[in-house]
Amino acid sequence: MRIFVTGASGWIGSALVPELLDAGHQVVGLARSDASAAALTTAGADVVRGTVDDLDVLAGAAAASDGVVHLAFKHDLAFTGDFQGAAEADRRAVDTLGEALAGTDRPFVLASGLVGLKPGQVSSERDMPAVDGSPVSIRSATAAELLALASRGVRSSVVRLSPTCHGEGDNGFMAALVAIARDKGVSGHIGDGANRWPAVHRLDAARLFRLAVEKAPAGTVLHGVAEEGVPIRDIAEVIGRHLDVPVVSVAPDAATEHFAWLGRFLALDGPASSTLTRELLDWQPTGPGLLDDLDKGHYFRTPATTS
């Protein structure tokens, strides 16, 4: 298949491109910079220049493809305070891509998230998030809209990713926690730190996206979860050991001051199951677990920044 991938040079995309190519597919990647275009060309993919705001470009590339994987999201905008703006841009892109694929029975796979899905309980693929008009729920509404494309002749599926998709080169939540601990001189968790985050290795996530585009049925929700829930306190302890700094509890009302933008996420307890995903697609994660990956040391080799 000829697969159009947005976010193709990003964290998951740069693992998905070789995954698709090795499986015999042709990849066309969206590139917004010369560096991204060069990386995709080197990897063996074709390139379409543009951004997720270039709706005509998205529509043309989707129409010329045998399927779409939409990974791009304006994380830089979201993490600087305008999550709503990032989510609204994502919705426009999804609507455009979906319109281009309507009536074709081609696959359309969307990356979404698990944060806040079912706080304090183990969520499954059958659980649906509340759509209440909040900025975060805009992204949930986008995922629901994509699933509804199944009724319009699109083999749509949503991959809800664990909040930490880890691996060497990660600049996400785990890298931010390491940077904060290095800057503050302590490795913190909120309260008793017993709250849990699901986790998945980047290469396992890439394989799941490949399986989804190949064979996920229309209207399918999938969970990119290798570990159901890793306690934040355990993560803080590994970080503290590697940086040789104390592990401390941060009071909930001081979380934003200590952890900056990460504070509003770090207290969430959101374990999740991927049993149905594994059974449906025969997906078996093989990468290291989060704590083992942290213990490999690559998160601590080069100082990360919190910006």
Side-chain angles (χ1 to χ4, degrees):
M1 289 191 292
R2 178 181 171 89
I3 309 300
F4 175 48
V5 181
T6 72
S9 61
W11 174 234
I12 296 174
S14 58
L16 176 60
V17 168
E19 177 75 27
L20 289 169
L21 292 171
D22 288 347
H25 302 293
Q26 181 183 2
V27 177
V28 180
L30 182 70
R32 64 177 179 175
S33 68
D34 291 342
S36 293
L40 290 172
T41 300
T42 299
D46 296 331
V47 174
V48 171
R49 293 299 297 263
T51 73
V52 292
D53 293 320
D54 296 321
L55 302 183
D56 288 344
V57 172
L58 297 184
S65 74
D66 298 312
V68 173
V69 180
H70 180 45
L71 301 175
F73 189 78
K74 293 184 172 183
H75 289 101
D76 52 348
L77 189 63
F79 289 159
T80 54
D82 190 11
F83 190 95
Q84 181 163 340
E88 288 175 348
D90 188 54
R91 178 60 176 269
R92 291 190 292 270
V94 168
D95 286 346
T96 298
L97 294 166
E99 195 63 38
L101 294 175
T104 65
D105 292 320
R106 297 172 188 167
F108 183 7
V109 185
L110 172 69
S112 190
L114 277 165
V115 172
L117 179 60
K118 196 176 180 183
Q121 303 177 60
V122 179
S123 62
S124 81
E125 296 87 339
R126 294 193 179 99
D127 292 310
M128 302 304 291
V131 177
D132 55 14
S134 66
V136 172
S137 76
I138 295 174
R139 201 171 188 194
S140 300
T142 298
E145 188 71 19
L146 181 130
L147 294 172
L149 289 171
S151 66
R152 299 185 60 203
V154 179
R155 184 160 61 80
S156 57
S157 60
V158 171
V159 177
R160 294 174 181 159
L161 284 168
S162 297
T164 177
C165 184
H166 56 89
E168 188 162 4
D170 176 17
N171 285 313
F173 287 145
M174 290 302 107
L177 274 177
V178 171
I180 292 166
R182 183 179 277 117
D183 179 61
K184 299 287 186 180
V186 296
S187 179
H189 55 76
I190 298 174
D192 64 6
N195 59 300
R196 301 151 292 174
W197 275 14
V200 66
H201 192 274
R202 167 182 177 243
L203 297 181
D204 289 323
R207 189 165 68 257
L208 177 57
F209 277 99
R210 192 257 300 170
L211 291 171
V213 80
E214 288 177 344
K215 60 183 181 179
T220 301
V221 174
L222 304 164
H223 275 189
V225 173
E227 294 178 280
E228 187 174 282
V230 182
I232 300 298
R233 179 181 57 242
D234 293 355
I235 296 170
E237 288 173 351
V238 175
I239 293 172
R241 174 159 43 81
H242 277 268
L243 295 180
D244 194 24
V245 298
V247 178
V248 302
S249 171
V250 176
D253 59 3
T256 300
E257 179 183 357
H258 186 92
F259 294 106
W261 59 268
L262 190 54
R264 66 192 185 102
F265 297 107
L266 201 60
L268 294 175
D269 183 38
S273 166
S274 60
T275 298
L276 299 178
T277 297
R278 298 182 194 219
E279 291 174 351
L280 179 66
L281 299 182
D282 192 26
W283 176 64
Q284 297 299 326
T286 59
L290 174 57
L291 300 182
D292 287 342
D293 204 12
L294 285 168
D295 258 333
K296 290 179 182 295
H298 52 80
Y299 278 95
F300 307 96
R301 289 176 192 151
T302 303
T305 64
T306 56
S307 60

